Amino acid sequence: MLSKAMEVIKGLKLSEFWEPWLQPGSPCLWETSSIILQLGFLAVLLIGLLKRLIEPQLRTHEPKTKTHELNPSNIKLGLSYKLSLACSILLLATHIMIPITFKTRSKAHCKYGIPILSSEIMQIVSWVMTLIALYVVPKHKHVNFPWILRVWWLCTFLLTASRITLDVHFLVLNHIHPGLLEYIDLISVLSSTCLLFLAIRGKTGITVANPSGITEPLLNENNDTKQEKRECPYGKASIFQLVTFSWINPLFVAGNKKPLDQDEVPDVDFIDSGSFTSEFFGKCLAQNPSIYKAIYRFTRKKVAINALFAITSAAASYVGPYLISDFVNFLNEKKTRSLTSGYLIVLGFLGAKFIETLTQRQWIFGARQLGLRLRAALISHIYKKGLVLSSRSCQSHTSGEIINIMSVDIQRITDFMWYINTLFMLPIQITLAMFVLHINLGNGAFIGLAATMVLMSGNIPLTRVQKRYQSKIMESKDARMKSTSEVLRNIKTLKLQAWDTHYLQKLESFRKVEYDWLWRSMKLNALAAFVFWGAPIFISVMTFGGCVLMGIPLTSGRVLSALATFRMLQDPIFNLPDLLNVIAQGKVSADRVASYLREEEIEPNTVEFVPRNLTEFDVQIENGRFSWDPDSRTANLDQIQLHVKRGMKVAICGTVGAGKSSLLSCILGEMPKLSGTVKISGTKAYVPQSAWILTGNVRENILFGNDYDRTRYEKTVKACALTKDFELFSTGDLTEIGERGINMSGGQKQRIQIARAVYDDADIYLLDDPFSAVDAHTGTELFQKCLLGMLKEKTVLYVTHQVEFLPAADLILVMQNGRIAQVGTFKELLKQNIGFEVLVGAHNQALESVLAVENSSRESEQTQGEEEPTLITELAQTRQDSDHSLCVEMSKKEGKLIHEEEREKGSIGKEVYWSYLTLVKGGVLVPIILLAQSSFQTLQIASNYWMAWACPTDSNDEIINGMGFILLVYTLLAVGSAFCVLLRASLVAIAGLSTSEKLFNKMLHSVLRAPLSFFDSTPTGRILNRASTDQSVLDLEMANRIGWCAFSTIQLLGTMAVMSQVAWQVFAILIPVTGVCIWYQRYYIPTARELARLAGIERAPILHHFAESLTGAATIRAFHQQDRFIEKNLYLIDNHSRPWFHNVAAIEWLCFRLNQLSNFVFAFSLILLVTLPDGIINPSIAGLAVTYGINLNVQQASVIWNICNAENKMISVERVLQYSNLTSEAPLVIDDSRPSSQWPQNGTISFTNLQIRYADHLPSVLKNITCTFPGKKKVGVVGRTGSGKSTLIQAIFRVIEPTEGFITIDGVDICKIGLHDLRSRLSIIPQDPTMFEGTVRGNLDPLDQYPDVEIWEALDKCQLGDIVRGKEEKLESPVVEGGENWSVGQRQLFCLGRALLKKSSILVLDEATASIDSATDGILQQIITHEFKDRTIVTIAHRIHTVIDSDLVLVLSDGKIAEYDTPSKLLERENSFFSRLIKEYSMRSNFDTFVS
């Protein structure tokens, strides 16, 4: 039986088609693949159909919902859907025709009936099913095509593309004309290409209108109403527009009419927006907390699409090198072959080039777009995390480090999204290169493979070293930026203390370390460039040498094909180390981001919220133990028992560091709870001790996200004593506040904070020492109108150092060593006689000192009470204080202080390029670099020309010279060219880094020598942006960008020379096409330049808002404003994404057009070479021209791209130069006019007719001040806010120069000596205490001038000695950024310690003890009096007792001297300003009077 069966099978002769059918090179393999794919497609369709049939049966018991009948009028079919139908019908028709043409099949096609018929029948069935599926799509209102159809269309494209490739191969191989089947295959590939783009886009374009005529919005309505949206043309683009990037045309039209503004740039598409990406990434992160898995889920779909384009582009790029050998053979055999086969080869070249450029543009754009999405998602999550970081986490990460994560690390992660496509392309590129080499050189290809592997593996150590250098560069840059940020934040202190020179040197030392690592990296880059350009040479020499040894004949066609392939191997060889480097950097950055996202957060359950109707207590703490470090055994707050009834006023007092602010923090839920319970009933508002003011106008700061209620707003403003302030500005409460409230006095900032809390209308108010920064009268007014007025029904807990505010409290908590030592009313505590009387006693002593002076001057005085107007009515608040100088200027500029960032418009000036190129050695290196590049290009062309000319065109021809000699000449020329590259790369590195260093130093010196007014009106974010991002461009990119403009132009000229040498007729098309390219470039530049500028400008607000939010996170949480701030962050992200995304699209728009023009030139030159009669051109040299022509599109695009890119990057040079020529302060030292080393000995300060104004068009702030502060005396300066007190002090330090008159100290005119000589001899304790990151020693003695003994002595004198001794590290105890690990009072004591160490003859106290309790203040006043008894002391104080014991008192009013005499003399006159000020203070401080 078995034998009979075998005979039957043999009779059928199945083996005749079975065996060849399955051979790899067989045409029938295509049919096999087709059948397998179709079976899979039909199986999936069948499963889907069965599922649809079964599901309704399972849901028979469910109630039916009424649906609208679908009328044709309800559905609008889009172009995409119609196109899919047309292409599917066309493909069905082609498969019906194929069986009909069975008899006319050529060798290119399978001739076995069974596989053909089975394949085509299944194709027909598949396309019928496709049409049925498409018919159903509108019925189900699908927005996207079903995924099965999209996969099927992708497979169809691969099948048809492989089919047409086989057709071309067989036609060229057999020298025959295309037949009907070939034309059918061409129609199929065009239709499937169209379907491929539809599959990638995914949208059907179908829109469905409701029968009611109301269209349902895609997004929630509130998203549209928040702000007016600019339409996104990308989201509505057709397939043709997406392919050609013509959707951006309207932006180019607008950009060429005038320079673009931010509001003219369209929005990004919804799926690219911050809100969508943030939400989607959040979902990915929720599924798995691993950041790697979250990024994978977030990017996988887009990565897959990009990978498809990248792989197609890589594959198409090797068609050219593959066809070169055939092209040279065709030219050799032109007499015997038809022109059709030549034109088919040209078609192959052109088709491959078209597909390569098309897909290349799509994957590059897709990678950039994916990077944009990932960056938006990560930034938003880092921002959200910043709002919930615990105190311990905040101290372990400085704001500079977190901002670095947001800028640098996220940039590295998004860079990987670009390089990930290299991962997919690399194996394809190497495989295809080996395939092409194997076809041409046989086993010689394996030598090429070995050489490639050697180079790749040799590059890996280079990359490892480079990676180490990069990490060192980043570390040194981090250190420099951290220090720069600190210097800018505390610039006022540095200038007043004359430490600016020291910190300038410190920044220069940080830069020196960074420069050393940059120089090492640049040297390695030069070596890498040598390897990169030497790689083709090394591989070609090794391969050709191996072929000679193995006896493989080298014809010119094979050599040229191999050379083209070697050049294409450059990218994979060089990309592998880059890829490994980016993976390593990306992993480090991803780990840093993951580590940050895992940081400890504020525990949300620390505080329990109780409904108000269930309790009479608003705040309850039972057995509370709290610690800033949860792992610590010792608690910062212990045994806390607190019950605050609704409407109570609770005062919290105690010495510095007793735990007052910590108690408020534990009620807010900011402080980790070790044990016990905290219960809150109602909403809360918080006023921190250090004022936190947002950049923006005053009204925005007060409203803080609440709706504007005019009545409530005006009541709030009046209660907070802000009415007078608003009257002084033309824009009133719309006046802009500078960064960190820099243009507002401490009192103003505090009052705005209080107004914010009062307007919020919360139930519970937590006020942390709100009256310390305001003067006596304002403090009383605030207390009476706010706490006892608008907040009389509210629960208020307030920390205070002013004892006069205690009697009005219902309950007083006395804090001591982290515990509530005493609780009770004012009278109860006085009776207990335990410790409270120390604070009250100190206050009473101060009051007695005031009353003693008052009584000695007037034996009897009747208090006039209400009849006598208070001083506030007599002294106009002119708001001409130094801190308000800019405010005055703002009134002239519609309230604008922080103006929009300087932005040049139009083309970048030639002087910018010239100054960059000639900064180092007058630009002498530039011609040498150009000569080295020209030599490289000439030698490279000569080496390739030699090989093409010397090698025979046919393997049967005799070699004129020996093959060894040919290779020797080639090697010498090629190696010479490689060394030219090494010279060029080294010189570029030297010139680039030297230029960047000079520019950095110029900018650094210019910024640090700028007057304080510059820092008042310039957010630090702008300066930091230039010092980090723009400086990085100068360090690492700028020189190469400029260099490559010249290098790519030289390369293009070389290619054109080679092509024109073969066929000069190419110039006929080359010249007009070059003209069109230049026109495109000029059309592109104005728009792209402005987009790049806008993207640079819009980056800073994201970082600035983040830094601001980190500082005020506690306030944001207390007011429950997290959502609003997150929305603002997303808005800023989109603001940056808009110009960045459209800039990327603009680049691709240009590259696409230049690529197609280059393809046109290449096609023209190929057709010319095919058409020219035989014998006119040398086939080998023609092949060389084609070898160079393959890269013509890349080179031509490269020239324009490099010019555009250089111009975009040159914006960084422009921005750095802007800050390199700032108006400078007076010289630090004037050699001809230096004071003696003992100056000032006496400390006499004389003002003669002193007038000061802040600008020529503004009125004088100080008017005709003429007085003398005698040496070694104590002078008090008083006056209302805005009277000119601080201006006078700043005039002494020459922060502002006199308009008229002069100031002398011990007879020396201070305007005639250097600033450093002046400021270094004076001491100041400022109102805002400043501490630097580092150690206690470094903060007290940054210049290392004093021994430890003196430092300890100073610490003891300022009451800090015991605290510092109690710490393990003693003087090396750490101080975190901003001194946040020390209380505000302790920071103020450190500032006093500096003054005690300095021992200057003149000491200025600017509200210096505002944040210190009365007891400590009393001790310090004694220390100051004792330590500075033989020195001149100038005091500005809100506490009258600090100036009452002065030898002289200067009263300023409206910038003029109102009174100047001894306190006793001033008090003798009843109506003197000073007398009334004393009376107010004594009335306010009298507890019985105050309570009443």
Side-chain angles (χ1 to χ4, degrees), residues 33-108:
S33 308
S34 173
I35 291 167
I36 293 165
L37 284 173
Q38 289 160 61
L39 283 171
F41 172 62
L42 293 172
V44 173
L45 276 181
L46 186 64
I47 292 165
L49 186 63
L50 287 170
K51 189 181 173 187
R52 285 185 178 276
L53 290 170
I54 293 164
E55 276 182 351
Q57 302 300 322
L58 298 173
R59 293 200 297 261
T60 50
H61 300 294
E62 290 180 16
K64 290 185 178 178
T65 55
K66 189 178 178 182
T67 55
H68 295 299
E69 286 295 318
L70 284 176
N71 300 321
S73 59
N74 296 151
I75 301 171
K76 188 180 177 184
L77 301 176
L79 177 65
S80 298
Y81 178 76
K82 291 173 184 174
L83 208 56
S84 69
L85 273 175
C87 292
S88 298
I89 291 166
L90 203 58
L91 281 161
L92 176 63
T94 59
H95 288 294
I96 290 169
M97 286 182 70
I98 285 171
I100 299 168
T101 60
F102 179 67
K103 297 289 183 186
T104 61
R105 297 176 80 79
S106 67
K107 289 180 183 177

Side-chain angles (χ1 to χ4, degrees), residues 715-729:
K715 278 175 70 179
T716 302
V717 168
K718 191 174 180 182
C720 296
L722 285 165
T723 311
K724 292 274 183 187
D725 300 80
F726 293 172
E727 288 172 0
L728 294 167
F729 307 117

Side-chain angles (χ1 to χ4, degrees), residues 932-1232:
Q933 178 64 23
S934 302
S935 303
F936 159 72
Q937 191 65 27
T938 306
L939 289 171
Q940 196 184 46
I941 291 170
S943 65
N944 292 340
Y945 198 98
W946 166 255
M947 286 299 284
W949 176 80
C951 291
T953 53
D954 194 282
S955 55
N956 298 320
D957 293 353
E958 285 185 23
I959 299 171
I960 301 164
N961 299 300
M963 206 66 217
F965 176 72
I966 293 172
L967 273 178
L968 178 65
V969 173
Y970 172 73
T971 305
L972 290 172
L973 289 169
V975 169
S977 71
F979 277 105
C980 288
V981 168
L982 183 63
L983 175 65
R984 180 260 287 170
S986 302
L987 291 175
V988 167
I990 292 165
L993 200 54
S994 302
T995 304
S996 93
E997 185 66 7
K998 281 198 172 184
L999 284 169
F1000 173 81
N1001 285 325
K1002 278 181 74 177
M1003 179 173 70
L1004 181 65
H1005 283 256
S1006 175
V1007 168
L1008 289 190
R1009 293 286 298 115
L1012 276 176
S1013 57
F1014 167 75
F1015 299 97
D1016 288 348
S1017 58
T1018 307
T1020 54
R1022 289 185 192 169
I1023 304 170
L1024 290 173
N1025 221 350
R1026 284 165 171 82
S1028 60
T1029 311
D1030 292 319
Q1031 189 59 43
S1032 285
V1033 170
L1034 265 64
D1035 287 339
L1036 300 167
E1037 296 182 56
M1038 196 66 245
N1040 280 325
R1041 298 291 182 203
I1042 291 279
W1044 272 106
C1045 288
F1047 307 155
S1048 54
T1049 305
I1050 291 167
Q1051 278 189 325
L1052 181 64
L1053 290 172
T1055 300
M1056 287 161 63
V1058 171
M1059 290 179 73
S1060 58
Q1061 194 263 339
V1062 174
W1064 58 266
Q1065 293 89 341
V1066 171
F1067 276 115
I1069 197 74
L1070 194 60
I1071 292 167
V1073 166
T1074 304
V1076 174
C1077 286
I1078 292 166
W1079 180 86
Y1080 266 128
Q1081 185 249 348
R1082 289 188 175 173
Y1083 184 72
Y1084 157 87
I1085 276 286
T1087 305
R1089 182 177 51 232
E1090 298 310 316
L1091 287 170
R1093 280 174 175 156
L1094 287 168
I1097 287 167
E1098 294 299 334
R1099 190 191 306 119
I1102 298 174
L1103 301 179
H1104 173 64
H1105 180 247
F1106 184 43
E1108 210 166 46
S1109 301
L1110 279 175
T1111 310
T1115 307
I1116 294 167
R1117 287 192 291 267
F1119 284 88
H1120 298 291
Q1121 292 282 323
Q1122 295 98 314
D1123 289 344
R1124 184 169 72 89
F1125 276 79
I1126 288 166
E1127 280 293 316
K1128 174 77 183 290
N1129 177 57
L1130 293 174
Y1131 169 74
L1132 292 173
I1133 288 170
D1134 285 348
N1135 254 15
H1136 173 247
S1137 295
R1138 280 161 49 207
W1140 191 90
F1141 173 79
H1142 288 92
N1143 190 30
V1144 167
I1147 291 167
E1148 297 309 318
W1149 177 92
L1150 179 69
C1151 287
F1152 176 81
R1153 280 149 183 76
L1154 298 184
N1155 283 344
Q1156 301 319 317
L1157 286 168
S1158 300
N1159 290 344
F1160 179 60
V1161 172
F1162 184 49
F1164 179 81
S1165 60
L1166 287 175
I1167 291 167
L1168 197 67
L1169 292 173
V1170 168
T1171 311
L1172 286 172
D1174 184 37
I1176 289 181
I1177 52 169
N1178 181 336
S1180 300
I1181 305 305
L1184 179 68
V1186 175
T1187 306
Y1188 275 85
I1190 286 173
N1191 292 321
L1192 182 66
N1193 67 308
V1194 177
Q1195 287 176 354
Q1196 203 165 12
S1198 175
V1199 171
I1200 307 298
W1201 157 259
N1202 283 317
I1203 290 168
C1204 298
N1205 209 1
E1207 180 147 9
N1208 285 348
K1209 295 293 179 186
M1210 190 54 76
I1211 291 167
S1212 289
V1213 178
E1214 183 183 64
R1215 282 159 58 83
V1216 167
L1217 285 171
Q1218 276 176 351
Y1219 280 17
S1220 297
N1221 300 300
L1222 299 171
T1223 306
S1224 178
E1225 285 185 307
L1228 290 174
V1229 174
I1230 300 172
D1231 292 325
D1232 298 339

Side-chain angles (χ1 to χ4, degrees), residues 695-767:
T695 305
N697 62 45
V698 177
R699 184 184 290 181
E700 286 170 358
N701 269 278
I702 294 172
L703 295 179
F704 206 58
N706 291 312
D707 294 328
Y708 178 68
D709 178 337
R710 185 165 186 164
T711 308
R712 176 156 60 112
Y713 182 78
E714 286 176 355
K715 278 175 70 179
T716 302
V717 168
K718 191 174 180 182
C720 296
L722 285 165
T723 311
K724 292 274 183 187
D725 300 80
F726 293 172
E727 288 172 0
L728 294 167
F729 307 117
S730 59
T731 51
D733 61 346
L734 298 178
T735 298
E736 288 220 7
I737 298 174
E739 187 181 18
R740 303 188 311 278
I742 200 163
N743 60 315
M744 297 282 166
S745 69
Q748 273 182 310
K749 287 190 278 188
Q750 198 68 286
R751 279 179 284 141
I752 289 167
Q753 271 208 129
I754 296 167
R756 175 198 297 157
V758 172
Y759 186 81
D760 194 59
D761 196 26
D763 301 314
I764 304 162
Y765 283 80
L766 304 169
L767 314 178

Side-chain angles (χ1 to χ4, degrees), residues 28 66 155 167 170 285 355 380 388 428 448 485 603 646 684 700 730 959 1056 1191 1262 1326 1375 1436:
C28 295
K66 189 178 178 182
C155 295
D167 286 348
F170 277 97
L285 209 54
I355 291 168
S380 68
V388 294
I428 300 291
S485 177
E603 184 58 52
R646 194 157 297 141
K684 55 191 184 297
E700 286 170 358
S730 59
I959 299 171
M1056 287 161 63
N1191 292 321
L1262 291 179
V1375 177
I1436 297 175

Side-chain angles (χ1 to χ4, degrees), residues 1319-1432:
R1319 291 169 182 172
S1320 62
R1321 311 292 174 90
L1322 309 176
S1323 285
I1324 184 167
I1325 304 175
Q1327 183 177 2
D1328 297 321
T1330 300
M1331 289 188 80
F1332 299 89
E1333 187 175 359
T1335 63
V1336 168
R1337 185 204 304 276
N1339 269 276
L1340 287 167
D1341 179 25
L1343 306 182
D1344 275 339
Q1345 291 176 314
Y1346 307 102
D1348 285 4
V1349 178
E1350 290 186 33
I1351 293 173
W1352 279 116
E1353 193 181 325
L1355 283 170
D1356 287 329
K1357 285 174 183 174
C1358 63
Q1359 308 293 299
L1360 287 169
D1362 293 338
I1363 296 170
V1364 176
R1365 282 190 188 92
K1367 295 182 179 289
E1368 286 181 25
E1369 299 93 340
K1370 304 292 189 290
L1371 290 177
E1372 300 304 319
S1373 296
V1375 177
V1376 301
E1377 187 180 26
E1380 291 295 327
N1381 58 334
W1382 299 83
S1383 74
V1384 177
Q1386 288 168 336
R1387 284 180 241 163
Q1388 195 66 279
L1389 296 175
F1390 273 112
C1391 292
L1392 177 61
R1394 290 173 190 155
L1396 290 169
L1397 271 176
K1398 202 170 182 183
K1399 300 187 180 97
S1400 301
S1401 297
I1402 297 171
L1403 171 67
V1404 178
L1405 301 170
D1406 187 0
E1407 328 267 18
T1409 56
S1411 301
I1412 300 171
D1413 61 89
S1414 298
T1416 312
D1417 186 21
I1419 296 165
L1420 290 177
Q1421 291 301 330
Q1422 290 174 15
I1423 292 168
I1424 290 168
T1425 305
H1426 179 263
E1427 291 295 323
F1428 292 92
K1429 61 186 175 188
D1430 293 328
R1431 289 171 169 71
T1432 306

